[in-house]
Amino acid sequence: MSLNSARGQLRLLSRSACRFNSTVSTTASKTTDSPETSNVNVEGNQEQQQEEATLEASTGIATSRAPTLDAYNQPLDGPLEQIAQMSERQFNEILNSVPDPTLNRDEIVSERFQKLLNLYGNKDKLKRQFTSTSSLLSRFPNLLPSDSLSPYTKAELTIRQRHHQQIMGDLGSKIVNVYQPHKLITNPPSINQLTAEKLMASGAHLGRSTELFNQNFQPFVYGKYKGLHIIDLDKTISYLKSACKVIQQVAENGGIILFLGLKVGQLRSIKEAAKNCNGYYVARKWIPGTITNALENPKPRHEVDMQDLETHRELSSDESNQTIKPDLIVILNPELAAVAIKEASQARIPTIGITDTNVDPNLVTYPIPANSSSNRTTNLITGVLGKSAQLGLNRRLQKVSEYKATLGMEPNEVFSEENLASKEN
């Protein structure tokens, strides 16, 4: 700062001092106008002087008021006198030590004040809203709140979590149509509900490498993509519907259905499908000679009726030695079950197989062109076949129950020669 600017500041300070002195003189003149106030001041001054004289006489020490000192321990006479005695360096230090005001400070303060004013004006409305809808504290009148300096209790934390769940629980995305692997097994779609979209989502359209292509699979190929053959899903649905009709008729006529899945991850699907149609399943390994050499390892046998209830009839020697074979075999991986397919063809047992692009579809009786290397695809197709077989089983049980009703038999009563003879008589 230059001397000229300093002198300008001195002029402003002198004017302020003059105004201050005029204000003080005006106040003094006002106080002198009231006689009661002046008398009180005079009496107070006289009492103070008497106390100082008594203290001086008792102690022998003169009592005098200590003068007011400035920052340099000099008597403080007045602001103008102090500034007049300062050097230019001292004056600049004092001016530069004062902090500059914040940018837009007045606007920020007014904005904050406006927000506080709005909140204060709406406090009754907010309080009513909190107590009526949002708050859970009104439901717990016996709750003892903790101190403001203490942590929340378990009850308070539970209430706060419930309140947060009530307010924020509906926020976020709603996830729908999520793939759940167990649903394909426990609740598979029916053949009428199956679409090309579901098959594509399971990867049924993906074939094997073009180098492993079987020429007999050419009618089911849709095209090529990045070294893979793409299977036509329209033909997959068409052939799957034919297979579902076959397995439904076999179950409705009381035939034995066998599910064969030799890969890891297919056990649960074939087990559930066999359970739905009262069939059987073989997992992980096919023992050679299971069909063609069954008499070498005989098993205990019994007779059942059309409701799959045991008749308790004694079997003859010929019936005990008779070969029991399945009426239909569902093969999930024909490329891994060549022995089973050969035995089924020798025993003239029809087969249903999921054939991939590297498998000859003529090996099985009813081929289903699809990706047999994907467990998701095989689980989906097995679930659809199992549901069709369950539909045929339910139709058979319904027909048997209606036939028993015409004979006057109980629904769970077993067919036997004695019961039929008694009913005819």
Side-chain angles (χ1 to χ4, degrees):
M1 179 183 289
S2 62
L3 290 175
N4 295 330
S5 60
R7 289 170 184 171
Q9 295 291 339
L10 287 174
R11 293 192 189 96
L12 293 176
L13 290 174
S14 63
R15 292 177 184 175
S16 301
C18 292
R19 293 172 184 171
F20 177 76
N21 293 332
S22 63
T23 306
V24 173
S25 61
T26 305
T27 307
S29 62
K30 290 182 180 180
T31 55
T32 54
D33 293 339
S34 57
E36 297 179 357
T37 308
S38 61
N39 293 333
V40 172
N41 293 334
V42 171
E43 291 176 359
N45 294 333
Q46 291 177 358
E47 292 178 358
Q48 186 176 3
Q49 291 175 3
Q50 289 177 2
E51 291 178 359
E52 292 177 358
T54 305
L55 182 61
E56 183 178 358
S58 61
T59 58
I61 301 174
T63 58
S64 61
R65 296 182 181 178
T68 306
L69 301 179
D70 58 1
Y72 301 94
N73 295 327
Q74 298 295 331
L76 182 61
D77 297 330
L80 295 179
E81 287 76 9
Q82 291 183 17
I83 295 173
Q85 295 175 2
M86 291 181 184
S87 63
E88 183 178 358
R89 182 179 62 81
Q90 294 174 352
F91 190 77
N92 289 332
E93 289 178 359
I94 293 174
L95 289 179
N96 294 331
S97 63
V98 179
D100 295 334
T102 307
L103 185 63
N104 299 331
R105 180 176 179 275
D106 296 338
E107 297 179 1
I108 295 173
V109 172
S110 62
E111 183 179 357
R112 293 180 180 177
F113 178 76
Q114 188 66 28
K115 289 181 180 180
L116 292 174
L117 185 61
N118 294 335
L119 290 176
Y120 183 79
N122 298 331
K123 65 176 183 177
D124 295 335
K125 181 180 178 181
L126 294 175
K127 186 177 181 181
R128 289 194 301 270
Q129 182 181 1
F130 181 77
T131 55
S132 60
T133 59
S134 301
S135 176
L136 292 175
L137 293 176
S138 58
R139 304 180 187 178
F140 305 96
N142 297 328
L143 179 66
L144 297 177
S146 60
D147 189 12
S148 59
L149 301 178
S150 302
Y152 289 112
T153 61
K154 292 184 178 181
E156 288 178 328
L157 289 175
T158 302
I159 292 174
R160 288 173 65 87
Q161 291 175 359
R162 290 180 59 183
H163 174 69
H164 183 270
Q165 179 66 23
Q166 181 181 0
I167 299 301
M168 309 293 291
D170 295 336
L171 299 180
S173 303
K174 294 183 179 180
I175 303 175
V176 295
N177 298 329
V178 181
Y179 168 61
Q180 298 177 352
H182 65 280
K183 289 294 184 65
L184 297 179
I185 300 174
T186 59
N187 188 20
S190 62
I191 186 60
N192 296 327
Q193 297 174 347
L194 187 64
T195 59
E197 182 181 0
K198 292 182 179 180
L199 288 173
M200 183 175 291
S202 65
H205 62 292
L206 299 175
R208 299 294 181 91
S209 175
T210 55
E211 298 177 356
L212 304 176
F213 180 65
N214 192 301
Q215 297 298 329
N216 293 329
F217 196 84
Q218 185 64 38
F220 308 107
V221 174
Y222 181 80
K224 297 180 182 180
Y225 180 74
K226 292 185 178 181
L228 298 177
H229 278 108
I230 305 301
I231 301 173
D232 191 356
L233 294 181
D234 291 335
K235 293 186 177 180
T236 301
I237 295 176
S238 176
Y239 278 79
L240 182 58
K241 286 182 178 180
S242 301
C244 287
K245 291 180 180 179
V246 171
I247 196 172
Q248 180 178 343
Q249 292 295 327
V250 171
E252 186 175 355
N253 294 328
I256 299 175
I257 302 174
L258 176 64
F259 292 87
L260 178 59
L262 303 181
K263 288 187 65 176
V264 178
Q266 297 176 348
L267 173 61
R268 188 178 176 185
S269 61
I270 60 176
K271 184 177 180 180
E272 191 70 22
K275 180 181 177 181
N276 292 336
C277 63
N278 291 341
Y280 303 89
Y281 67 93
V282 176
R284 298 181 181 177
K285 184 178 181 181
W286 175 266
I287 300 176
T290 303
I291 297 176
T292 57
N293 198 18
L295 294 179
E296 296 295 331
N297 189 15
K299 300 292 182 180
R301 304 174 183 181
H302 59 270
E303 185 185 46
V304 296
D305 60 0
M306 293 299 290
Q307 273 188 319
D308 294 338
L309 299 176
E310 188 176 356
T311 59
H312 302 286
R313 185 178 68 86
E314 293 184 3
L315 301 180
S316 62
S317 60
D318 294 337
E319 292 175 342
S320 300
N321 296 328
Q322 185 179 1
T323 302
I324 299 177
K325 57 183 181 180
D327 297 290
L328 180 66
I329 301 178
V330 179
I331 304 174
L332 304 187
N333 305 100
E335 66 274 13
L336 302 178
V339 177
I341 294 175
K342 186 176 181 180
E343 292 184 12
S345 62
Q346 290 179 1
R348 297 183 179 181
I349 299 174
T351 55
I352 296 174
I354 303 176
T355 57
D356 211 331
T357 56
N358 62 335
V359 180
D360 186 3
N362 298 323
L363 294 177
V364 294
T365 311
Y366 303 98
I368 302 174
N371 183 11
S372 61
S373 61
S374 173
N375 287 337
R376 183 173 175 180
T377 303
T378 56
N379 291 341
L380 176 61
I381 295 177
T382 305
V384 173
L385 293 173
K387 201 157 190 176
S388 299
Q390 184 180 11
L391 179 60
L393 174 64
N394 294 335
R395 288 182 178 178
R396 171 162 58 89
L397 297 178
Q398 183 179 1
K399 291 180 180 179
V400 173
S401 61
E402 292 177 356
Y403 179 68
K404 285 184 176 182
T406 56
L407 298 177
M409 299 175 60
E410 297 294 332
N412 295 329
E413 189 175 356
V414 181
F415 282 106
S416 62
E417 296 180 357
E418 297 178 357
N419 293 336
L420 293 176
S422 61
K423 296 298 180 183
E424 290 177 357
N425 294 331

